[in-house]
């Protein structure tokens, strides 16, 4: 009996046996023998190392199976919970968890898209449960509610594209400490096989514009390795443009990146690309043939700075489309054939500056404003003498002191001092302008006395007399408006 007791004591003090028990999560020899019985192992304490190694491997496999089973149960529990939240019967007041309340708010707003099909709804619940289980920032609401709405809407858009998921969402883990990085990792896990620029993620953050649904299809194509040139782009794209497009800065939107690739592919540098993207050409591509010629011209004249480029773009909008830069959009139609052929930097900067100053004067409240005289304005196209082409002429009334000042400054005469006479109703001042390739140009200034409808004075730049072509247009207007000429006016 003493021999057996000594053997038992020796086995109990065996450091390898003690370490083995600790690895199995057991404390006593009795618990170890019970574990061996339950799992089909010998109950002897004297075992070789390979036998203990087999027990340890079996224990670890069982731990993994139990962990997986527990995760599946948790997943089913979360899915059941989310399925109950995303229903018409759920009420926000009855849900204490703030994250689940946000999910319900999202479901209420996006119910039509989520319930579009069973696949979309199931995919949405799987996606949200994975984010919820890992406490992703994409579900965390903060003070920037508008930003949270954008990211939440992006999750719905991702669920609607579940047919294109290339990896299971259950294997995704959050990467990064902010929403933008976590969204980027989620998109690349689900849709991307190859490299994808970060600016492309912006297509998922906008839902209101139908154009962005097309852009999301571009994302899916590029994510699978297709070249952006083969997508249905709004402008022609070369291989070089596609190369620079994929290298676009992360702060751009998708349409800005398209313009970036075009500018860089045409030979523009980074500074020129940034300057053009600061104008109204950043995102619009309607009737882009003209704007492509503008970009070619700007790239060729690299001495222009950002301020001058913005001024010229606004000026081109006015000349080509006849609207202010603020009114210009993709629906604007050209009003003339204004083009870039033969334009010089000096003349364009001069004309654009004059136009800008004139527009600023029009925006300001004039010192004096008066009522129209009641005479009709005039719009006429004449036949040029000899080989000269026909031109369009307009005669319009000046109705405030700023217009008078601008007329006097451009024509270099003293019509700006006639404001008091116009306010008093003694006379009206008219400007005759001719339409040229670069826009309308002032020709002559006309004074009409109101008491007898008499054209009393006609002067051009620096007080020159009107030329024969201008006199012909003036006579036709006088006949139309019922005006007479003073004996001092030679027509």
């Amino acid at each position: 009996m003493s021999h057996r007791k000594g053997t038992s004591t020796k086995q109990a003090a065996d450091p390898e046996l003690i370490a083995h028990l600790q690895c199995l999560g057991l404390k006593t020899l009795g618990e170890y023998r019970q574990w061996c019985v339950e799992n089909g192992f010998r109950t002897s304490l004297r075992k070789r190392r390979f036998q203990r190694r087999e027990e340890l491997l079996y224990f670890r496999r069982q731990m993994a199976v139990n962990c997986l089973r527990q995760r599946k149960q948790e997943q089913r529990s979360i899915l059941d919970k989310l399925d109950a939240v995303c229903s018409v019967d759920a009420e926000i007041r009855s849900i204490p968890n703030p994250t689940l309340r946000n999910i319900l708010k999202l479901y209420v707003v996006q119910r039509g898209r989520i319930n579009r099909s069973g696949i979309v709804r199931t995919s949405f619940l799987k996606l949200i449960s994975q984010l919820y289980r890992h406490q992703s920032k994409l579900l965390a609401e903060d003070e920037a509610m508008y930003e949270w709405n954008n990211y939440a809407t992006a999750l719905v858009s991702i669920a609607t594209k579940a047919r294109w998921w290339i990896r299971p969402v259950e294997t995704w883990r959050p990467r990064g400490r902010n929403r933008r990085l976590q969204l980027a990792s989620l998109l690349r896990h689900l849709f991307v096989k190859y490299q994808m620029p970060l600016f492309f993620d912006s297509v998922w953050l906008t839902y209101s514009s139908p154009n962005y649904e097309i852009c999301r299809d571009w994302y899916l194509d590029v994510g699978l390795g297709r070249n952006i040139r083969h997508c249905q782009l709004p402008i022609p794209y070369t291989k070089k443009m596609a190369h620079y497009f994929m290298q676009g800065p992360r702060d751009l939107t998708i349409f800005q990146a398209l313009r970036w690739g075009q500018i860089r592919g045409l030979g523009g540098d980074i500074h020129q690309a940034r300057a053009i993207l600061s104008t109204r050409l950043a995102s619009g591509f309607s009737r882009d043939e003209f704007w492509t010629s503008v970009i070619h011209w700007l790239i060729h004249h690299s001495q222009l700075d950002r301020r001058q480029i913005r001024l010229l773009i606004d000026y081109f909008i006015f000349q080509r489309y006849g609207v202010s830069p603020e009114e210009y959009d993709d629906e604007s139609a050209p009003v003339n054939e204004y083009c870039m052929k033969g334009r010089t930097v000096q003349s364009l900067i001069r004309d654009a500056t004059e136009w800008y100053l004139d527009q600023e004067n029009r925006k300001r409240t004039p010192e004096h404003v008066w009522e129209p005289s009641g005479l009709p304005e005039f719009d006429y196209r004449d036949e040029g003498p000899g080989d000269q082409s026909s031109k369009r002429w307009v005669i319009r009334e000046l109705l405030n002191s700023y217009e008078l000042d601008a007329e006097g400054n451009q024509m270099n005469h003293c019509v700006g001092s006639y404001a008091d006479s116009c306010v008093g109703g003694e006379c009206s001042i008219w400007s005759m302008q001719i339409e040229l390739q670069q826009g309308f140009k002032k020709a002559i200034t006309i004074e009409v006395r109101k008491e007898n409808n008499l054209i009393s004075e006609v002067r051009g730049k620096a007080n020159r007399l009107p030329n024969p072509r201008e006199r012909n247009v003036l006579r036709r207007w006088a006949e139309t408006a019922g005006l007479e000429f003073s004996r001092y006016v030679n027509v």
Side-chain angles (χ1 to χ4, degrees), residues 259-273:
R259 186 67 80 185
W260 173 279
Q262 181 192 36
I263 297 167
R264 298 285 282 125
L266 291 174
D269 59 27
I270 294 176
H271 301 291
Q272 289 175 320

Side-chain angles (χ1 to χ4, degrees), residues 7-8 56 59 96 130 212 222 286 310 327 401-402 418 480:
T7 304
S8 177
L56 186 58
F59 171 77
Q130 185 72 2
Y212 278 85
V222 174
S286 177
R310 296 186 65 176
E327 299 171 330
S401 55
Y402 282 128
Y418 281 57
T480 302

Side-chain angles (χ1 to χ4, degrees), residues 468-482:
R469 203 167 180 181
E470 294 165 347
R471 290 198 296 268
N472 176 56
V473 177
L474 185 60
R475 282 194 298 268
R476 291 183 177 275
W477 177 57
E479 293 174 3
T480 302

Side-chain angles (χ1 to χ4, degrees), residues 188 191-201 215 218-231 233 237-265:
R188 280 149 188 78
F191 298 116
V192 179
K193 283 186 178 180
Y194 305 100
Q195 184 179 6
M196 179 69 73
L198 285 174
F199 68 78
F200 226 141
D201 299 346
C215 297
W218 299 349
Y219 189 101
L220 300 178
D221 290 340
V222 174
L224 294 176
R226 190 180 185 187
N227 194 298
I228 188 66
R229 293 191 307 122
H230 301 142
C231 300
L233 302 180
Y237 236 51
T238 64
K239 290 182 179 180
K240 191 174 183 180
M241 293 177 186
H243 170 75
Y244 283 111
F245 169 83
M246 294 297 289
Q247 295 182 345
R250 67 175 62 188
D251 62 313
L252 303 182
T253 66
I254 179 64
F255 293 112
Q256 290 174 338
L258 281 177
R259 186 67 80 185
W260 173 279
Q262 181 192 36
I263 297 167
R264 298 285 282 125

Side-chain angles (χ1 to χ4, degrees), residues 158-206:
I158 292 172
T160 61
K161 302 293 185 181
R163 294 180 183 273
W164 287 268
W165 290 1
I166 61 176
R167 301 179 184 92
V169 69
E170 292 82 4
T171 60
W172 175 77
R173 299 292 183 272
R175 292 184 180 180
R177 296 184 178 181
N178 59 54
R179 287 182 181 140
R180 191 64 184 257
L181 292 177
Q182 291 191 6
L183 177 65
S185 71
L186 176 63
L187 290 170
R188 280 149 188 78
H189 176 83
L190 294 177
F191 298 116
V192 179
K193 283 186 178 180
Y194 305 100
Q195 184 179 6
M196 179 69 73
L198 285 174
F199 68 78
F200 226 141
D201 299 346
S202 63
V203 303
W204 300 94
L205 296 173
T206 303

Side-chain angles (χ1 to χ4, degrees), residues 13 112 121 128 141 143 215 311 382 386 396 407 416 477-478 491:
R121 180 180 175 86
I128 294 298
E141 181 182 347
E143 296 179 358
C215 297
L311 172 63
D382 69 347
R396 55 178 295 271
E407 184 83 6
W477 177 57
V491 291

